Each structure stands twice: as C-alpha cells, then as structure tokens.
Amino acid sequence: MVTPLGCDVAVLGAGVVGLSTAWLLARQGAAVTLLDSGTAGSGASLGAQGQLVPPSPELRPLWQRSLALYAELAARTGMPWDAEPPGTLVLSAPGAADTSRARTFPDAEVLTGEELRTLEPALGPLVTAGLLLFEGRRIEPAAAVGALLAEAAGAGTALRLGLGPLRLEEAGASGWAFVRADGERFTAPRVVIAAGAGARALLAPLGLRVPLTSVSGRVLVTEPAPFTLDHVLAESVIGVPRSVALLAHQTPDGGLVLGGSWYPHDEAEPDDLAERILRRADELVPGVERLRITAQRGGLRPFLPDRAPVVDRLAPGLYGCFGHGGEGYIAGPGSADLLVGLLNAEQDGRAAPAAEQQALLAGFRFGRWKEPT
Ligand SMILES: Cc1cc2nc3c(=O)[nH]c(=O)nc-3n(C[C@H](O)[C@H](O)[C@H](O)COP(=O)(O)OP(=O)(O)OC[C@H]3O[C@@H](n4cnc5c(N)ncnc54)[C@H](O)[C@@H]3O)c2cc1C
C-alpha cells in the first residue's frame, strides 16, 4: 500500500534533531510530517545527561544558535533550563583515562584545586587543578523533548510515530518512500534524515556510505544530595573508549545527574558500570557513593570521524542532519536551523543559501571524509 504523506517535507527521526527540524520548518508554514520507529526521544535523546558546555570552535556557531532557540522554546513553553549560565568547572584529577586527551578551552580561567573548592565546596582533595568557563548550562532532556514535540505539533507537524523500523527507497516522481516492515510505503517529495545512530543503516542500501560509529553511554540520577553543586562539572578527559569519567550537575530538586561512560556500541557494557560511574564521581565529589540511585538512562552517541555532524543535501530531495555524537543538545537545534536555511534556499530556487550559511555548511558536508585532507 502506498500512502502519500501529503507534506512538503518528511522528517525521519523524532529525537532532538528531528523535532527541532520539524518545529522550525512547520512554524514557517511548511507542511511537515515527522516519522519514527518509536516514541519521541526514544533514541539517544531521552538518554542524555543534559549538559550544554562550550563545544569545539567548529561547533560553536551551532551551539550559540541552539542556545537562542532554547531561550525561545523556554519562553513559549515554560521549559525549565539555565537561562543564565552557572558556568562549567573542568576538572583535572589523578585517575583520568588518558591525560594526553585533556581538553583545552579558549577564554578559560585556570584555577588551582583550592580555588576550585572555594567555588564548589563539595569537590574533594583529589581535584588538583581545573578551568572555570563562563558558559555551561543544564537542560532536562525529557523537558526539552516534550517542549519541542509540543511546539512542532502546535505548529502543524503531522506525527507518525511508533511505525517500527523504516527503510528508505527512491520513489521516482513521488520523491522518496519510507517502507514499513509490512510493506506499507509512505512517500514525500523531500525528506530529512535525522535518524541519529540509525542513519548509517538507513542510507547504506542507497549506496550512501556514512562512517558513523556509535558509542554507548549511561547516566545515573540520584536522590537529593545533602550539598549543592552550583556549576556544571566535567572532567578534563572524557570520551576515551571503555572508560568512565565524572560529568555531574544538580537538578532543581537537589538530585545529581552523573555520567559518563563510553563503550563501543557492539561491546557489552560492564555489569558494574553504574558502580564504576558512582565510584569515579565519589573520588571527585566525596559522599556521592552513599546516594541512592533513583533512575538510570542511556543510549548511543552517533559519531562521525571528525566528531562533527552532517548538515547537507545527500541527493536530490534527500537531506541529512545526523552524527552529533555527545553534543546533540549542544549543537542539534542549531544544526537543524542551518539545514532549514538550506532547504529554504533550494525551495526558493536560489542556488545556495546566504554566504554566511554557506561558510558554515562547508564544515558539515556529506562525504567530506572521502576527500584528501
Ligand atoms: C549517555 C549520553 C549522554 C549524553 N549527554 C549529552 C549532553 O550532556 N549534552 C549533549 O549535547 N548531548 C548529549 N548526548 C548526545 C545526545 O543525546 C545525542 O547527540 C542526541 O540525542 C542525538 O539526537 P538525534 O535526534 O540525532 O538522535 P536520536 O535521539 O537517537 O533520534 C533518532 C531517532 O531516529 C529514529 N530512527 C532511527 N533509525 C530509524 C529507522 N530506520 N526507522 C524509523 N526510525 C528510526 C530513532 O527511533 C530515534 O528516535 C548524550 C548521549 C548519551 C548517550
């Protein structure tokens, strides 16, 4: 059975990226349908930690645009988030997985362990040095997904969720077709792939190679702590394969949100992963290990080799916005906005988007990994 979706654009993937894309397209008047195998956020988006720390220089324009969109979203929906940044403390301590991978940040203030403990008294003596970043905010993934879904639907997006895994095929004059396991086909003239870790498998049958690797991660939520954390806390070394490191912040009810872990998607996570995350957190913030875990969440971070997303046209009528790694909240809404600019330019018959957008898009092109560096 063929079901024309009757839309201008079909967006596949109801995570933070696809929801943002649908919202931004629909609010400017496009007829949009959002499709997903499951419910909104059921990929990586509801599993995330929810830290908005400054990313690498290449992603900063996307991050800044995301912050502006979150401010707008919060004003419209009441979504809780840090409208003003409490800032980030980037911590150095013995026991880090690979100190050669310590992160650097422009405009950071270098602090001693004592200075860090003055700012954040809950930090223990193992923290020897660190950086203070003016930026760094907290967002609650479930609240962000809920707000984006409400805004996308409120702007007229048609929701087709719970469809089970879809395949993508060319559909001649109809554009593109999503095919369900039972053979039902949904067609649309233009399609955006915002499928996170699922993008690789979706695009491979079309001969579109995406060197996406997925890294699993776990987040723990605790009961209210008997102390406060005023900043976003992040270890200087994060993301080393098969490692855990401290990522922490406090929610308004006093509970702690603790990460992080990085394991290849095709390897089992250690049975005692939660204990390992707690132990590392306790080394840097003593007392954490005594807190009761009230919830756990997690998912797959979809990484491209240069750790930047694809925001591009992949083929006529087919667009992609995926590969946000561990920074889908940081860069996702901003990259959706950039993609919408590209869609608008092509819809208007303009050959290319505005010069500023073109310069940005150049860093996120599909197939850039094929080119000699
Ligand atoms: C443990 C952890 C902590 C994180 N912490 C942070 C953080 O603090 N800050 C931050 O910015 N980022 C963080 N991230 C990263 C962030 O969660 C992701 O980058 C982001 O959620 C990716 O969003 P997405 O919309 O691209 O993908 P997803 O949320 O995965 O959405 C993709 C959707 O596409 C659907 N889909 C895929 N393939 C198909 C198919 N074939 N058919 C039908 N539907 C399909 C899936 O069902 C899914 O709903 C974290 C991630 C993890 C795992």
Side-chain angles (χ1 to χ4, degrees):
M1 186 177 116
V2 179
T3 311
L5 290 169
C7 59
D8 303 321
V9 185
V11 178
L12 179 74
V16 63
V17 175
L19 287 165
S20 301
T21 308
W23 171 42
L24 296 172
L25 281 168
R27 76 172 184 177
Q28 65 178 27
V32 181
T33 300
L34 180 64
L35 305 97
D36 201 293
S37 62
T39 52
S42 59
S45 293
L46 284 179
Q49 176 120 10
Q51 296 189 347
L52 304 174
V53 296
S56 62
E58 297 73 35
L59 297 190
R60 284 186 177 221
L62 303 183
W63 163 64
Q64 276 156 353
R65 184 68 189 127
S66 294
L67 295 183
L69 288 167
Y70 288 133
E72 211 179 310
L73 200 59
R76 290 182 58 85
T77 65
M79 175 190 79
W81 82 304
D82 285 324
E84 296 299 325
T88 307
L89 297 182
V90 182
L91 308 174
S92 299
D98 176 358
T99 48
S100 70
R101 291 175 58 153
R103 292 178 292 166
T104 55
F105 294 86
D107 309 327
E109 192 181 338
V110 180
L111 299 179
T112 64
E114 281 317 307
E115 288 168 330
L116 287 161
R117 277 179 284 281
T118 304
L119 286 175
E120 200 67 88
L123 289 174
L126 203 66
V127 178
T128 51
L131 303 173
L132 168 63
L133 312 184
F134 169 76
E135 261 296 349
R137 308 178 194 226
R138 299 159 295 189
I139 196 163
E140 174 53 46
V145 165
L148 284 166
L149 180 63
E151 284 300 289
T157 300
L159 302 176
R160 294 267 189 163
L161 307 180
L163 295 172
L166 299 169
R167 286 185 295 110
L168 179 65
E169 288 179 358
E170 290 189 69
S174 302
W176 295 90
F178 290 113
V179 187
R180 286 184 86 169
D182 64 4
E184 187 177 8
R185 295 159 66 85
F186 300 101
T187 57
R190 297 204 293 172
V191 159
V192 174
I193 302 301
R200 180 181 180 135
L202 256 171
L203 295 170
L206 300 168
L208 298 170
R209 195 183 74 81
V210 185
L212 197 92
T213 53
S214 298
V215 177
S216 70
R218 182 94 59 93
V219 170
L220 313 179
V221 182
T222 75
E223 65 178 328
F227 53 80
T228 55
L229 291 181
D230 291 328
H231 299 80
V232 173
L233 303 183
E235 268 196 77
S236 174
V237 179
I238 61 169
V240 177
R242 301 175 193 82
S243 77
V244 300
L246 173 84
L247 297 171
H249 62 266
Q250 198 160 31
T251 58
D253 76 353
L256 303 185
V257 184
L258 302 171
S261 61
W262 293 267
Y263 284 83
H265 73 99
D266 49 0
E267 288 180 20
E269 291 177 328
D271 291 341
D272 64 346
L273 181 56
E275 288 79 3
R276 291 188 197 200
I277 292 171
L278 265 186
R279 208 175 307 133
R280 183 59 178 165
D282 190 75
E283 284 172 1
L284 276 58
V285 184
V288 166
E289 221 167 2
R290 288 194 295 276
L291 298 174
R292 191 168 49 85
I293 304 300
T294 55
Q296 296 195 34
R297 56 185 192 238
L300 296 177
R301 306 175 183 93
F303 282 104
L304 286 158
D306 59 1
R307 300 179 103 74
V310 162
V311 185
D312 203 359
R313 185 167 70 104
L314 315 180
L318 179 64
Y319 298 80
C321 195
F322 52 78
H324 294 77
E327 298 177 316
Y329 281 89
I330 292 167
S335 58
D337 190 51
L338 187 62
L339 184 75
V340 168
L342 176 63
L343 278 152
N344 287 343
E346 298 198 349
Q347 178 79 348
D348 296 349
R350 279 182 277 142
E356 193 190 331
Q357 284 181 333
Q358 270 192 64
L360 250 184
L361 284 162
F364 307 122
R365 271 182 302 141
F366 180 70
R368 60 186 184 268
W369 43 84
K370 285 184 248 168
E371 296 159 11
T373 50

